[in-house]
Amino acid sequence: MIFFGKARSANKVQHLISLCRALLSERGEVSGGRLASEVIAAYQSLGAQAVQDFFDRLVTEFSPDPGAVQAAAKAYLEKPSEGHLAQLQAAADPPRQELFRRWNMAPGGIGVLIQMRRTLLGTLKAHPERVHLDSDLLHLFRSWFNRGFLILRRIDWGTPAVILERLIEYEAVHQIQGWRDLRRRLEADRRCYAFFHPALPDEPLIFIEAALTRGMTSDVKPLIDPQSPVADPGAADTAMFYSITNCQEGLRGVSFGNSLIKQVVEDLGREFRRLRTFATLSPIPGFRVWLVATDPQWDSLDPASASQAKRRELTALCARYLLQAKREKEPLDAVERFHLANGASLERVNWMADPSPAGVKRSFGFMTNYVYRLDDVEKNHEAYAREYRVVASRGIERLAAR
Amino acid sequence: MIFFGKARSANKVQHLISLCRALLSERGEVSGGRLASEVIAAYQSLGAQAVQDFFDRLVTEFSPDPGAVQAAAKAYLEKPSEGHLAQLQAAADPPRQELFRRWNMAPGGIGVLIQMRRTLLGTLKAHPERVHLDSDLLHLFRSWFNRGFLILRRIDWGTPAVILERLIEYEAVHQIQGWRDLRRRLEADRRCYAFFHPALPDEPLIFIEAALTRGMTSDVKPLIDPQSPVADPGAADTAMFYSITNCQEGLRGVSFGNSLIKQVVEDLGREFRRLRTFATLSPIPGFRVWLVATDPQWDSLDPASASQAKRRELTALCARYLLQAKREKEPLDAVERFHLANGASLERVNWMADPSPAGVKRSFGFMTNYVYRLDDVEKNHEAYAREYRVVASRGIERLAAR
Amino acid sequence: MIFFGKARSANKVQHLISLCRALLSERGEVSGGRLASEVIAAYQSLGAQAVQDFFDRLVTEFSPDPGAVQAAAKAYLEKPSEGHLAQLQAAADPPRQELFRRWNMAPGGIGVLIQMRRTLLGTLKAHPERVHLDSDLLHLFRSWFNRGFLILRRIDWGTPAVILERLIEYEAVHQIQGWRDLRRRLEADRRCYAFFHPALPDEPLIFIEAALTRGMTSDVKPLIDPQSPVADPGAADTAMFYSITNCQEGLRGVSFGNSLIKQVVEDLGREFRRLRTFATLSPIPGFRVWLVATDPQWDSLDPASASQAKRRELTALCARYLLQAKREKEPLDAVERFHLANGASLERVNWMADPSPAGVKRSFGFMTNYVYRLDDVEKNHEAYAREYRVVASRGIERLAAR
Amino acid sequence: MIFFGKARSANKVQHLISLCRALLSERGEVSGGRLASEVIAAYQSLGAQAVQDFFDRLVTEFSPDPGAVQAAAKAYLEKPSEGHLAQLQAAADPPRQELFRRWNMAPGGIGVLIQMRRTLLGTLKAHPERVHLDSDLLHLFRSWFNRGFLILRRIDWGTPAVILERLIEYEAVHQIQGWRDLRRRLEADRRCYAFFHPALPDEPLIFIEAALTRGMTSDVKPLIDPQSPVADPGAADTAMFYSITNCQEGLRGVSFGNSLIKQVVEDLGREFRRLRTFATLSPIPGFRVWLVATDPQWDSLDPASASQAKRRELTALCARYLLQAKREKEPLDAVERFHLANGASLERVNWMADPSPAGVKRSFGFMTNYVYRLDDVEKNHEAYAREYRVVASRGIERLAAR
């Protein structure tokens, strides 16, 4: 019985491989749409093990032919002409790239490819040989999800439920507790924007949540409290970005966040002429691990009952972590790297900004404000890109210097 | 003065090249949108000669680095590992591909790239070294204008004028004589469909015009006569495709026609359940040239005054041309190759179907009907793909056998 | 303090009345939009008591002037010319109708009028003199919410949340238990349609819920169970309408239900060609009251534990109620009147179709199937309109005859 | 033969009348949609004479019943109660109003009613008894085409051709010479807006054309010249309204112009913050007639060759015409009445602003600028509404005083 199952599964993989070959052949050009649909249906009918087998065969059978690459490499070395270069490129080009392009001829093809890569990513550790298969998919996605093709849409209570449901599902930074919570996050004093791709109209790729406030917020609670009163957006002078979420694990490595923030800052600035400050209230994911590794006694600290002195000490250490803890030349903190590379500056460290158990566990409840000043974004970015300079406020620098 | 102009022009090209380098650098990731806009503006400000210079520099400065390719080729030949293969691919990958991807980060980037390739195509004869630059653009366009991203839209009198205007401009097979003529072609007994790309919402990529008729038409006049009475589409049993036009010269080599015909045949079949026949009334662009080359005396024939005997003889020769005149193994006639490769069959040869001077000059006024039978399309296509078999009706075979 | 409050409230009413007069004056024609906005804002700022005062003044001050009506009536009686008739009509026409028409010049005016009538309806018992004020609003609404202006929209999971939220709020027949329940009611084997007015794009006026099933359902549970498996809609032969809800209390008396059912039956018939039966599963709101009034001993019956004999007896009584219990010449049951007047026929009586406490309390758990047969709808309707004939199946007639 | 034709025509009218009665009956409530469609089809099949007969029967058979009105009038005079008033209103209400409301239950009903009134208007002179039938239609249209239901849409080159075609057809002030001329009027330095009703999405009700200019234009030529260069709209300080056209003759008496101008002034002011002046360049339709009536010798004047003195004299007379020529208390000039009632002021008189033969024939080539100053509109309007005050610039007053 089990044996039979394996045999059927092997048959299914074999069938799928044959369809893939047909799709890649010349016949694929005319019957592309139909063949691609069959390929996709065949792939989707595979069990978990069969998917693994299919990945293996994509690696072994749809990679460049080593013999052909060697021949082309030799020819090029003998005579490095344009013609030989073209032959070398063609020989080195993995057939599966073209294969995946043709999958996309079927309706929904692109969604299936994203799901497939998501599955693939989970197997890379155990199967390092699949890293090139992964690169091929990533290469395609970078080309297809190019900024020029993306559509920025505002998300509000008039957005289709099918999309809102995804937001509830995907939000990773501050979980959305059902429809009521979501509704609060879409009220008049909030803004939510997402990037979409035209071929995936119901699938947000990334979304950002902002609150329109008076002054820069140092405490996450009012931002995510479903019961908080709705403020007058016309009176706001600050846009607080309190959450940014990548939705498609299968698109890991295609970066959207930077474009999204820049676009939203521009749009909000146009809509609300009184907005002066665009700031985040961001987690500090690496602080606790770093601190405890430095000095294990901190592990037992409960910030809720910490003394004033401890609090001051810890705040200085947090500033030091942000300014001085490095991974090679870059800051150790991943969120910090993201915002600095986008051109933000480090503005403020906030004690007990996220007093939830998760917040305490992550960083003793600390959160940071990064600020996007339109006039400085480019300059900051370049300083960071050139020399990994961390642009920070005087306050933080003083704290770290204590 | 001229010298000064050249200097300014050289400066402009140099400035554009610098912008391109910046866009390709890491800085480009953050400031991509703005830089890409500058690149595009700089490109669009170039004069004709400067564009030529820019093409040259794209060839010389944004091609793969021969030294790097050679080193990677050597490393691969010594040890053909996956890692070395990846290095070789990276070295052989032309930087300008990534450059063009980043152009697209600016609004309108893709349209400018299409225009640029259009210009480039016109220079290839004189500059064969630019063929690889052209391949890089084509490669990108094939990936971006993948069927999965295209949108089929019906064109009718409710379509925005900005799109209709393009149809008037682009129609190549049977010129549209202004808005009145166009309106007739969009009446109830006609259908027009076009493919669009979401990033170019006002630019048709290809469009097809069909007339809903009773019986297969053998004469193009009633189809393109703006004064012809509007028939009842519900009574039609045949859809006559009388024109199919590729709109974007800059997308030459990205094939849309086959997908378009198949999709339209399916959609029409669903909308009008009484439709039995899907046929074209197509020109025979190569007939006259071929015939006159075979026997120069035909050149002086005026079909309007030809005798019955001449007419019979010419018809047989036309059938023979379609069935027997070859370019290697394929039919000599380009339109024939297109429809046969799509799975159509050769149905009928029509005497004086296009009596216009252009029609007579092209093919003594002959036109062909190709027929798309849904059940046979795949079979025909494969017969053609495998062995270039020309599937033709008995009538045509008999004519050719005379 | 209270006195002061009253004074302010009286001022507010007085101010609103002045604005209404200005809006009705010639000045209102030019500054209509702005004045109407002020009127609406003033109305919305009124407290509960002030609204009552405002209603009183609409009755006393914006009704036809009795003196003018009398004069016109006399003139007409003296000489019943067309001119005198026109004068009489003008004099008898209540100024508040024109006033309300002008309220609508402001954005959102129509929504406020609907809310106002909703409030008014709740006061009619205590204020019978306001019945003419109510008639004026109803007259306007009948003209404005004419079928020709309504838009039928399918409601599904791609519908904006702002509309779906209203469905959850409004559904009266079988309460929707939150978003999860709603989502089930919008799956592939369900259909939901609503009428909208273009000036109120987010406000459903009426909606109907249907399940696509095999065979006519006699039990409401599977239809409203959020956990029920999703069936294949392509295999369905029956559309079960299990809920129809009027959303706008303020539009009471404007009937939408009949148009909605007819349109949905047509649309579903076109989409699913295998659908044969269009039926409801409807409550019998008046059965228990009628039965207990006839024979009080029934009041203590628990249908869940009833004997076979009791069950049979009760079923026969239910059939008799539907066929024989009358209010003058019409059936006593309101739901029955609605469906028969629409042209449906009475098909089946279902024991314990709604075993919920509410269902048992209403009608001992009985529900009826009414059937809409496209060919009979008009005939049935006319039979009902002419002579209140109740078209019923043989089965029900036999039951009632026992 | 003719007799037979008449008989058939009479039959058709009789059949239509029967359908109208059925539609008005209770049966009409359920089968309204279908019956209304039949009514409309029957109406549309009538020949010209039959339409006249139908109008007659609408007058005689669908007017209020004089007996019923008399009875109700008597009852009211005896006891002027609310109940008797309601009866009187009901008796005086013409049944054809409800009939027309029900026509609208069919798709396209409203369009047919508008066409019908258009036909009717042409017969009123010969048939004064139909004036009340006309009033009933106008009353309905005023209610249905209430500002709150209208949609303002910008018209540009992205507008569907079906709508643009109507603009070409309808433009009355400065004829549009085909698609090329239209395209010029929709370029970047122009704006065109129209009101639509949701039930007639392809039918503009009224449209206005504006040019964005530097300074107030005194010459119509550059505004309507298809060859004029396109200016930079960002540099404009003035919006010149050079044409406003009512499209639907059948809606005569429903005024849209005032709302349209006010809305467009607001929208343009928001879009272009540098706009200071909103002005018209308007014809003076009554000037020549008035002047020649005053002094017949002017009739022979050719302004193209007029002396400086004549020109000065004529200009002063034109100012006098605008300020002093009256029809009762209002200005004699219809265009002047329209703009003053809207709150504009009379700014300038322009010699040879429209040198076309039509312009010379109408007003010796003179045109006026009316100016809409947002701050003064209401004040001006009230001054006009109260006392027909003509608000004019000093310059014009001085001219008139000469």
Side-chain angles (χ1 to χ4, degrees), chain A residues 181-253:
Chain A
D181 184 358
L182 176 63
R183 196 188 199 294
R184 175 64 191 88
R185 299 192 190 196
L186 303 174
E187 290 282 6
D189 61 345
R190 300 298 176 89
R191 282 297 180 278
C192 178
Y193 295 88
F195 270 144
F196 289 83
H197 188 278
L200 292 168
D202 292 341
E203 273 293 349
L205 305 177
I206 187 172
F207 66 94
I208 190 167
E209 296 168 73
L212 302 168
T213 60
R214 292 183 67 90
M216 199 159 65
T217 314
S218 58
D219 177 3
V220 81
K221 238 173 53 204
L223 300 181
I224 61 171
D225 175 9
Q227 311 293 342
S228 61
V230 178
D232 171 13
D237 56 14
T238 305
M240 291 298 310
F241 300 112
Y242 62 98
S243 182
I244 180 162
T245 302
N246 277 296
C247 304
Q248 307 296 331
E249 172 63 15
L251 291 177
R252 194 201 289 169

Side-chain angles (χ1 to χ4, degrees), chain C residues 85-106:
Chain C
L85 178 60
Q87 281 169 23
L88 181 57
Q89 287 164 339
D93 199 40
R96 61 193 167 228
Q97 280 212 12
E98 182 59 21
L99 174 66
F100 296 143
R101 260 180 229 117
R102 294 191 181 187
W103 279 41
N104 192 33
M105 294 171 86

